[in-house]
Amino acid sequence: MGFSHAYGAPTAEQETIRMLQYAYELGYTFFDTAEVYGTPNDPNANERVVGEALQSIRNHVRIASKFGIRFDYDSLEVNKSLILDARPEVIRMSVEGSLRRLRTDHIDLYYQHRMDPAVEPETVAEVMAELIKEGKVLRWGISEANENYLRRAHAVCPVTTVQNRYSMMVRQHEALFPVLEELKIGFVAFSPMANGFLTGKYGKDENFDKKYDYRSNMPQFTAEAVEQNQELLTMLREIAKEHGASPAQISMAWMLCKKPWIVPIPGTRKPERLKENAGAAEVYLSPEEVADLDDLLDQIPMSAVFGGSSVKTGRGQCEVRTAASRQ
C-alpha cells in the first residue's frame, strides 16, 4: 500500500517494481494489495504495479487483494472517508478488474475490505463460493471482521483468514483469537508496527506530508504522544538489545511467536527496512517472554493510535470511526 497510497507521495513505478522484486529475492512470498490503493488520478495504481512486478515469478508467490470499498475523493481531508459497497454485482466487477491489473487468472486470497452493513455476510460469502468454484479466487478473507459477521460468512463459505489491525499498541482483536482457533482461521496483522511508530525512529518534530501522508493526522505521532509512549519505546529497545535485534523486529517477533497462525504484513519503501523486517522471522521469543511482554503491555501507558478512516454507510450517510484506544 505504502508505495502508492497513504505514506507520502507515491513512489515512482519502476522503483516500486525493483523494490517488490528485491523483496522476493530476500524471501518474501506473500504480497498484499487492494484495488483502492492509489491516488485520485490513478486509484488502482498499486494492483497494476504489483502485477507487473510479480508477473515473471507469479507461480512462486501468493497475492492477496481486496474489494468492497472506494475512497471519497471529493473530501479535502488527507485521510479520505471510505464508501462501502459489497453488492454482488460490484464484487464481480472488482474481481475482473483486479485479475486484469494483477496479470493473473486467479487471486490467491481475496478479502472483503470492510464489512458492508447494507449487504448480508451470507450474500458476500455466496459470491465468494461462486468465484472459488470458477477458479478466479482460491481463498477468501475478511478485513476488520467481528465474530458475528465472521461466523455467518464462514458457515456459507469457509473463511481462510481475517485481516485486522494489530500491534503492541492495538490489541482489542485478541478477543477474536479463540474464535479463530475454533474455526481454524488465520490472522493477518496489518499495521503490525502501529504505522511505523514501534520502529522507534520517529521523534517529536516529524513533519509528514499533509497532502499524501496519513501519519500527519495520526494521534501516535503527535509530540505529546511521542512523549507519552517513551516507556514503551524504552522497553522495546531494551528487549531488542538483549536479542541482538531491532525494536521493529521485536514488535513483530512478539506476534509471530504468540501464535503460529498470525502473519504480520509490514510495509516499507526502503530496502534496508525490507531486510530488517524479514529478520523478524529469525527472532525467537519463548512463550514465557511473550506472556511477560503481554503483562507489560497491559500496564505501560500509551497514547491513542490511528484506528481507521471514517466510513460512509448506506451509500451515503457517514459513520465516523475515530482513533483507537490502546485497548
Side-chain angles (χ1 to χ4, degrees):
M1 180 184 74
F3 286 109
S4 307
H5 176 78
Y7 285 85
T11 303
E13 288 198 0
Q14 288 306 309
E15 176 62 19
T16 299
I17 289 168
R18 283 194 293 270
M19 282 285 287
L20 292 173
Q21 292 173 342
Y22 178 54
Y24 174 72
E25 293 171 10
L26 289 173
Y28 289 86
T29 58
F30 180 46
F31 294 83
D32 181 278
T33 184
E35 66 175 342
V36 294
Y37 294 159
T39 66
N41 294 329
D42 194 356
N44 310 124
N46 201 247
E47 279 191 331
R48 190 183 67 254
V49 74
V50 167
E52 182 174 349
L54 303 182
Q55 185 176 25
S56 64
I57 52 174
R58 178 65 185 95
N59 293 333
H60 303 285
V61 299
R62 300 291 179 265
I63 298 175
S65 195
K66 311 179 192 74
F67 66 89
I69 66 170
R70 66 182 188 275
F71 289 105
D72 179 10
Y73 282 120
D74 292 331
S75 171
L76 299 178
E77 298 180 350
V78 60
N79 181 5
K80 308 297 184 188
S81 297
L82 307 178
I83 299 172
L84 308 177
D85 196 345
R87 290 172 294 171
E89 63 270 27
V90 173
I91 298 174
R92 284 280 179 181
M93 288 189 294
S94 291
V95 74
E96 295 300 335
S98 292
L99 288 169
R100 182 176 63 254
R101 288 184 293 271
L102 291 169
R103 303 187 184 193
T104 185
D105 62 358
H106 68 277
I107 298 170
D108 298 288
L109 180 58
Y110 201 39
Y111 291 103
Q112 181 177 7
H113 209 150
R114 293 291 184 271
M115 298 178 293
D116 183 350
V119 180
E120 299 295 333
E122 291 85 358
T123 300
V124 176
E126 286 169 1
V127 179
M128 291 299 105
E130 293 168 0
L131 293 176
I132 290 170
K133 185 176 181 180
E134 294 165 16
K136 295 178 179 179
V137 171
L138 301 189
R139 304 284 189 275
W140 83 292
I142 308 168
S143 185
E144 296 280 41
N146 60 37
E147 180 179 352
N148 177 62
Y149 194 97
L150 178 62
R151 286 187 181 278
R152 289 173 61 186
H154 184 74
V156 174
C157 182
V159 175
T160 292
T161 189
V162 164
Q163 184 182 132
N164 286 0
R165 187 183 305 274
Y166 185 54
S167 71
M168 286 182 162
M169 298 181 75
V170 180
R171 297 171 58 205
Q172 70 269 21
H173 292 301
E174 289 180 352
L176 195 61
F177 286 2
V179 178
L180 300 180
E181 290 189 314
E182 173 195 339
L183 300 178
K184 295 181 171 55
I185 294 173
F187 186 89
V188 171
F190 75 84
S191 298
M193 291 177 280
N195 307 101
F197 184 84
L198 293 173
T199 64
K201 300 183 184 300
Y202 297 96
K204 295 181 181 181
D205 301 317
E206 296 294 333
N207 291 311
F208 298 107
D209 188 329
K210 294 185 181 299
K211 181 178 179 181
Y212 292 108
D213 200 324
Y214 280 23
R215 289 172 296 183
S216 65
N217 199 34
M218 290 184 183
Q220 69 265 39
F221 290 102
T222 64
E224 296 79 10
V226 172
E227 185 66 31
Q228 187 178 357
N229 293 317
Q230 282 309 302
E231 185 176 347
L232 170 63
L233 295 177
T234 297
M235 179 199 73
L236 265 177
R237 292 187 185 104
E238 290 174 352
I239 296 173
K241 186 176 181 180
E242 292 173 6
H243 287 268
S246 70
Q249 290 171 333
I250 294 297
S251 72
M252 285 189 288
W254 162 77
M255 62 179 72
L256 285 166
C257 296
K258 184 189 292 280
K259 301 287 185 182
W261 39 263
I262 296 178
V263 178
I265 48 170
T268 187
R269 301 195 286 181
K270 299 178 180 178
E272 61 270 25
R273 296 286 84 80
L274 271 177
K275 292 183 68 174
E276 179 183 347
N277 292 344
E282 307 302 321
V283 178
Y284 175 72
L285 299 176
S286 69
E288 293 76 20
E289 288 176 305
V290 171
D292 288 344
L293 265 172
D294 284 345
D295 289 340
L296 286 170
L297 293 172
D298 286 337
Q299 300 169 39
I300 291 176
M302 300 181 199
S303 72
V305 177
F306 178 68
S309 304
S310 61
V311 176
K312 290 189 175 181
T313 61
R315 316 287 180 255
Q317 292 183 341
C318 191
E319 171 188 314
V320 177
R321 293 172 51 206
T322 57
S325 72
R326 63 170 295 193
Q327 300 300 321

